[in-house]
Amino acid sequence: MQTVPSRLAGRAMTLAYERRTVAENLTVAVPDHSFTIIIGPNACGKSTLLRALARLLRPTAGAVLLDGGDIQRRPTREVARVVGMLPQSSVAPDGITVADLVARGRHPHQGLLRQWSRDDERIVAGAMADTGVADLADRPVDELSGGQRQRVWIAMALAQQTPLLLLDEPTTYLDIAHQVEVLDLCARLHEEQGRTLVAVLHDLNQAARYATHLVAMRDGAVVAAGEPRQVVTAALVKEVFGLPCRVIDDPETGTPLVVPAAPRRTGNRHQPA
Amino acid sequence: MPAAPVARPAGRTGRRLAGLALSLLLLGLVAGLSVAIGAKQLSPAEVWQGLLRPDSPEYAVVHRMRLPRTLLGLVAGAALGVAGAVTQAVTRNPLGDPGLLGINAGASAAVATATAVLGMTAGDIWYALLGAAVVTVAVHAVGGGRAATPARLALAGAALNAVLYSYVSAVMLLDAASLERLRFWTVGSLADARADTVLRVLPFVVAGLLIALATARPLDALALGDDAARALGARPGLVRAAATAAITLLSGAATAACGPLVFVGLLVPHLVRALTGPDLRWLLPYCAVLAPVLLLAADVTARLLGRPGELQVGTVTAVLGGVLFLHLVQRGAGVRR
Ligand SMILES: Nc1ncnc2c1ncn2[C@@H]1O[C@H](COP(=O)(O)OP(=O)(O)OP(=O)(O)O)[C@@H](O)[C@H]1O
Ligand SMILES: [Mg+2]
């Protein structure tokens, strides 16, 4: 269907948990070297889609294709060298230091015979520098702020050095400056290193600003996909989020900017006595 | 790109290696004490003679009793320490212990059944391993099978533990004759060690240690949650199965050789983690060295305190462990999050 080349795509997938079907006949493609951002209301299946794309969830029908072949047929470790994933919530073991946690990103590149090497050391240090957590290297992760912690997790995903990287809500817990910092980092990874990034975001304006490819989901289905300019319209926001709004040009970048409509007052607000 | 501070992590590796060397030194020291000190008071010179000269009067004491006992302490200590560390990792419970999962109780119950009910007198190790394996599988099944969560595993283990120890007590009450022999199965001891005790359990311990070391890295990945682990290329089901096999082999073998010694496997990894952090690649070797230090030190203490007889080492570890455990709990360690 798509003409853009895509190493990673889901084709006619049914995604389900034991008793709940989240999506049926879902087809998505992640364009190569894109910064793809997925938006959609809570519980619409964004994380589920990401988990399927990263081989964490097996579609009950359809398939995820990695380089044209069924991803389920590829060994876990091999997939982990190509597709990295930062889950929406992860647990850091009690007392682990930042450097040790980031080092765990090297797991798919190591084996019984290939132990820790200078290369690993260098890559881990680089990932910490890129995310601005190098100064925290020896600090226990459970003593960091939410934002610092989030950047450490991103560093771990970076240390995995995969050409494809899936990030589930990487900006949650971050203050606005750090949100922008993380998104700038993603953009840099995408522009300078040619990595393909997929991220779930809740902020439509940030999504519109950073995405090269935007996917809007609702109830387990893709409602629209394409360039942010084409996707983010008042009609779409109404359809996907049920939110009346105006869409104007972002004065800074010219990308679409969503301005929610002011709620219509019903007139029975509490009056001062 | 700014030059990364490569020196810092490298320095940490150096510190960890130095700590390990120091621990080994400590182990040598305690092992020496364990050979030198016993119910029969010998001077260091006499022990030395007994160690090296087959014609010396002390040869028998040193070679038939103290060396096997010390070696058993080394092997069982390493097994318990590593089993505890792996249990804490796989259950994601910083105060986990194979004993709390009912594995030692399973081994004890199987041996009690074999001895008192079936009248078997040899082959303890096989009954112990069988009991440990059955309980491991049972805990896993009751705890939810593939959907097992750490909390459910701990509950299932606690329940089975209670049931099995009641069973062992009942068997002992019913059969007064085996009471003496079975007492050993309710409080651990190194006193029965003979040269072949160590040899019989050694293959199982070695196998368990190898499996544990091989799963160290994937278990580290698993500690981040199943999704993160899979994203890192680890296979949670397989890793859990391998880790469980290691725990069964190690605690089954240790229990077969010296009865249940619960707190060693709980405390050592917990304390060592404060030194090394939760990285199993460091935690496991440290535990393999420091758990025997604790066990042998407790055994020497038991011999000194009990003179002219001796206390069972299980009593000492239980008292020592109990006190430390209370202290940890009171400080709130391990109940964070
Ligand atoms: N492990 C699970 N078992 C059963 N149902 C689940 C599981 N995880 C998610 N679901 C359900 O699947 C649906 C989609 O969840 P998903 O996590 O994909 O939503 P999401 O779009 O990522 O939402 P959010 O924005 O809140 O993160 C929800 O109805 C959710 O309740
Ligand atoms: Mg989600």
Side-chain angles (χ1 to χ4, degrees):
Chain A
M1 24 144 271
Q2 237 110 357
T3 46
V4 241
S6 160
R7 293 186 71 179
L8 185 66
R11 202 175 53 195
M13 297 181 294
T14 298
L15 304 178
Y17 296 101
E18 266 164 56
R19 275 180 294 274
R20 185 194 310 271
T21 300
V22 177
E24 272 176 326
N25 199 23
L26 178 63
T27 295
V28 265
V30 177
D32 283 349
H33 310 297
S34 67
F35 186 176
T36 296
I37 294 180
I38 304 174
I39 54 171
N42 289 141
C44 74
K46 304 178 298 293
S47 298
T48 306
L49 169 62
L50 234 55
R51 295 184 69 226
L53 290 176
R55 198 187 179 277
L56 307 184
L57 179 76
R58 180 195 285 270
T60 46
V64 173
L65 304 181
L66 177 62
D67 294 325
D70 187 345
I71 200 170
Q72 294 292 338
R73 298 240 173 81
R74 304 270 296 266
T76 317
R77 180 180 288 269
E78 204 181 293
V79 172
R81 288 194 207 121
V82 183
V83 184
M85 157 103 176
L86 184 62
Q88 187 167 353
S89 56
S90 306
V91 268
D94 274 348
I96 194 170
T97 61
V98 168
D100 278 344
L101 183 59
V102 176
R104 292 193 182 178
R106 298 304 296 155
H107 182 269
H109 301 277
Q110 297 167 334
L112 273 184
L113 297 178
R114 198 191 162 289
Q115 295 289 328
W116 192 249
S117 72
R118 289 224 165 270
D119 264 356
D120 293 324
E121 200 81 64
R122 190 177 48 73
I123 290 163
V124 166
M128 289 194 294
D130 281 348
T131 46
V133 296
D135 289 343
L136 307 175
D138 286 335
R139 293 266 301 273
V141 174
D142 35 23
E143 291 172 13
L144 300 181
S145 78
Q148 291 174 319
R149 216 173 293 172
Q150 187 70 14
R151 283 185 285 147
V152 171
W153 283 106
I154 295 172
M156 191 198 79
L158 288 186
Q160 204 173 333
Q161 289 221 311
T162 51
L164 284 136
L165 184 54
L166 316 182
L167 305 165
D168 199 346
E169 300 195 20
T171 52
T172 314
Y173 302 123
L174 300 184
D175 65 45
I176 185 142
H178 281 121
Q179 288 180 19
V180 169
E181 198 174 290
V182 162
L183 290 169
D184 281 342
L185 170 66
C186 292
R188 244 192 1 259
L189 291 170
H190 155 250
E191 280 159 21
E192 292 170 11
Q193 305 181 6
R195 295 206 214 193
T196 306
L197 265 74
V198 182
V200 172
L201 292 188
H202 279 298
D203 186 315
L204 298 187
N205 298 330
Q206 287 177 348
R209 190 184 264 210
Y210 285 92
T212 62
H213 184 77
L214 195 62
V215 177
M217 285 182 71
R218 199 192 132 184
D219 292 339
V222 172
V223 180
E227 273 206 24
R229 216 164 247 302
Q230 272 132 36
V231 173
V232 181
T233 59
L236 178 110
V237 174
K238 180 90 198 345
E239 183 187 352
V240 170
F241 292 95
L243 179 78
C245 71
R246 280 202 289 162
V247 174
I248 58 175
D249 280 355
D250 184 329
E252 198 65 30
T253 56
T255 50
L257 187 72
V258 175
V259 182
R264 256 213 267 123
R265 304 297 185 203
T266 48
N268 56 1
R269 291 157 73 207
H270 289 287
Q271 304 289 333
Chain B
M1 192 127 306
V6 178
R8 203 191 277 149
R12 217 175 29 172
T13 304
R15 271 207 307 283
R16 284 165 164 173
L17 279 175
L20 200 55
L22 208 67
S23 308
L24 275 169
L25 216 64
L26 197 62
L27 181 59
L29 194 75
V30 179
L33 283 179
S34 168
V35 175
I37 297 174
K40 181 170 178 184
Q41 298 199 23
L42 300 176
S43 70
E46 286 170 321
V47 173
W48 192 245
Q49 296 280 322
L51 207 55
L52 300 180
R53 304 237 322 257
D55 55 340
S56 72
E58 289 80 23
Y59 186 83
V61 175
V62 173
H63 277 257
R64 291 234 190 84
M65 298 178 65
R66 294 203 186 162
L67 270 185
R69 185 171 187 161
T70 305
L71 286 176
L72 182 60
L74 284 176
V75 171
L80 289 167
V82 172
V86 174
T87 307
Q88 293 177 5
V90 85
T91 58
R92 288 188 199 137
N93 175 359
L95 292 176
D97 182 279
L100 300 182
L101 286 181
I103 294 176
N104 299 2
S108 298
V111 176
T113 308
T115 331
V117 181
L118 306 175
M120 312 280 186
T121 51
D124 284 353
I125 176 98
W126 293 107
Y127 301 122
L129 281 176
L130 185 72
V134 168
V135 168
T136 308
V137 172
V139 167
H140 211 71
V142 178
R146 289 190 59 145
T149 62
R152 288 171 71 179
L153 283 179
L155 278 177
L160 275 169
N161 209 11
V163 170
L164 288 168
Y165 272 124
S166 316
Y167 170 75
V168 173
S169 307
V171 169
M172 282 168 58
L173 283 178
L174 290 177
D175 185 356
S178 57
L179 189 106
E180 189 47 37
R181 212 175 108 66
L182 282 176
R183 203 173 50 140
F184 167 78
W185 289 98
T186 50
V187 187
S189 161
L190 296 175
D192 273 8
R194 281 178 295 269
D196 68 328
T197 315
V198 174
L199 284 181
R200 270 188 308 140
V201 297
L202 194 61
F204 300 98
V205 173
V206 169
L209 289 178
L210 287 179
I211 299 176
L213 284 177
T215 45
R217 211 200 308 269
L219 271 175
D220 276 342
L222 210 59
L224 309 180
D226 281 14
D227 264 7
R230 241 178 260 134
L232 286 172
R235 294 160 66 184
L238 191 71
V239 176
R240 269 195 207 102
T244 309
I247 296 167
T248 308
L249 281 168
L250 291 171
S251 49
T255 308
C258 38
L261 291 164
V262 214
F263 276 116
V264 180
L266 188 158
L267 278 176
V268 173
H270 193 82
L271 295 174
V272 167
R273 206 174 296 115
L275 291 176
T276 63
D279 235 84
L280 284 176
R281 285 176 310 148
W282 289 102
L283 190 63
L284 291 186
Y286 265 86
C287 285
V289 176
L290 287 176
V293 169
L294 179 76
L295 186 55
L296 286 174
D299 191 41
V300 171
T301 311
R303 281 182 250 171
L304 285 177
L305 285 182
R307 263 178 183 169
E310 60 175 71
L311 288 174
Q312 303 222 35
V313 64
T315 314
V316 175
T317 56
V319 171
L320 193 73
V323 171
L324 270 167
F325 186 70
L326 283 177
H327 176 66
L328 287 175
V329 170
Q330 201 216 349
R331 261 191 10 197
V335 286
R336 214 167 18 184
R337 106 161 108 238

